[in-house]
Amino acid sequence: MYLEEDFLMLSGLQHFAFCRRQWALIHIEGQWAENFSTVDGELFHEKAHSSVNESRGDTLILRGLRIFSKELGLSGSCDVVEFIRSDDGVSLSGRDGLWLPFPVEYKRGKPKEHRADEIQLCAQAICLEEMLCCDISEGALFYGETRRRQPVQFDEELREIVASMALEMHGYAGRGYTPRVKPSKKCGNCSLKDLCLPSLQIKRSASSWLAEHMEELL
Ligand code: SF4
């Protein structure tokens, strides 16, 4: 169980899953660079948070709900949590009946090859389970490009990935450790590529590096 002062940002899980170094540059070293993806993504999230909470039949819709997990040592907020009337749900203050939480995370773009978005959503579900004392088996990712919801099952495999990543993040944070560059295809889409300078880490001879930079200087 982590103390509140040791909580890390839940949203950092998506950075950590994408690249450990990117997460450390942002969350340990405090560096941030905006590219089109990050700015567009923030605007998209602002839209998800902008509408007021509402009730639609047997569904209550809450936006921007603050969440935390002492077990994971993470805190953050949910874009949207739908509370659906269900016998398997939990009671809510000021409401009759029982309500089952269903987290929905908004993402710009389309479904990705990696699992970073699923990992972030599953961590949100674990927080809600801990805070509300309930079980949540499913949530959804809404992608702006496809305008569709993609269901996500919170199975044991996904939960174990979340737990081990959160543990690893706390290990890095505790040591103030930033991993070295490992250049890969994803560096091209990374908002920190100019700060991280992956090209300098690609093995090449000192003479070719010197020749290139001498040309720039002359
Ligand atoms: S440029 Fe590549 S190695 Fe550097 S932080 Fe981004 S993804 Fe990671």
Side-chain angles (χ1 to χ4, degrees):
M1 289 288 174
Y2 291 92
L3 298 172
E4 196 176 335
E5 56 264 33
D6 296 325
F7 285 178
L8 298 172
M9 282 176 69
L10 185 151
S11 58
L13 272 174
Q14 64 183 316
H15 304 131
F16 198 80
F18 177 72
C19 170
R20 275 27 175 191
R21 180 171 167 79
Q22 190 202 60
W23 172 82
L25 289 172
I26 297 169
H27 296 271
I28 293 179
E29 298 191 15
Q31 303 200 42
W32 181 247
E34 287 186 335
N35 64 10
F36 170 75
S37 301
T38 58
V39 174
D40 193 39
E42 275 170 22
L43 292 175
F44 192 64
H45 275 89
E46 269 174 30
K47 208 173 156 197
H49 284 258
S50 63
S51 314
V52 290
N53 301 328
E54 58 183 294
S55 171
R56 285 188 206 156
D58 278 344
T59 304
L60 302 173
I61 301 168
L62 265 64
R63 295 182 168 85
L65 185 67
R66 301 288 306 164
I67 52 170
F68 66 87
S69 163
K70 290 183 180 174
E71 202 172 320
L72 295 175
L74 301 175
S75 65
S77 63
C78 293
D79 282 344
V80 170
V81 182
E82 295 177 354
F83 285 88
I84 300 155
R85 197 185 283 276
S86 161
D87 290 341
D88 299 326
V90 292
S91 56
L92 294 177
S93 165
R95 295 275 172 182
D96 291 334
L98 299 175
W99 303 84
L100 191 63
F102 184 90
V104 183
E105 176 72 9
Y106 282 67
K107 296 289 178 191
R108 61 174 295 281
K110 54 190 178 187
K112 307 172 183 82
E113 285 175 17
H114 54 75
R115 303 191 75 185
D117 295 343
E118 292 171 60
I119 289 165
Q120 187 186 356
L121 184 69
C122 183
Q124 292 177 3
I126 293 171
C127 289
L128 290 166
E129 287 179 337
E130 191 178 311
M131 292 166 67
L132 300 169
C133 297
C134 64
D135 294 322
I136 305 172
S137 60
E138 196 182 17
L141 293 162
F142 179 89
Y143 286 98
E145 212 170 299
T146 58
R147 310 298 300 171
R148 281 176 188 275
R149 276 189 180 194
Q150 178 182 295
V152 178
Q153 303 295 325
F154 305 131
D155 57 26
E156 276 312 307
E157 187 199 351
L158 188 54
R159 288 170 184 271
E160 276 170 24
I161 293 172
V162 171
S164 78
M165 270 193 189
L167 192 64
E168 208 181 336
M169 276 165 57
H170 276 282
Y172 284 20
R175 290 157 54 209
Y177 171 65
T178 301
R180 286 173 59 82
V181 176
K182 282 191 197 153
S184 68
K185 266 198 317 191
K186 61 192 173 191
C187 297
N189 292 325
C190 176
S191 57
L192 294 187
K193 64 185 172 204
D194 293 331
L195 290 168
C196 174
L197 302 176
S199 59
L200 287 183
Q201 302 288 323
I202 297 170
K203 283 187 185 161
R204 54 184 174 166
S205 70
S207 58
S208 71
W209 188 90
L210 268 176
E212 186 184 308
H213 285 76
M214 286 305 287
E215 266 176 36
E216 286 172 9
L217 289 173
L218 292 172

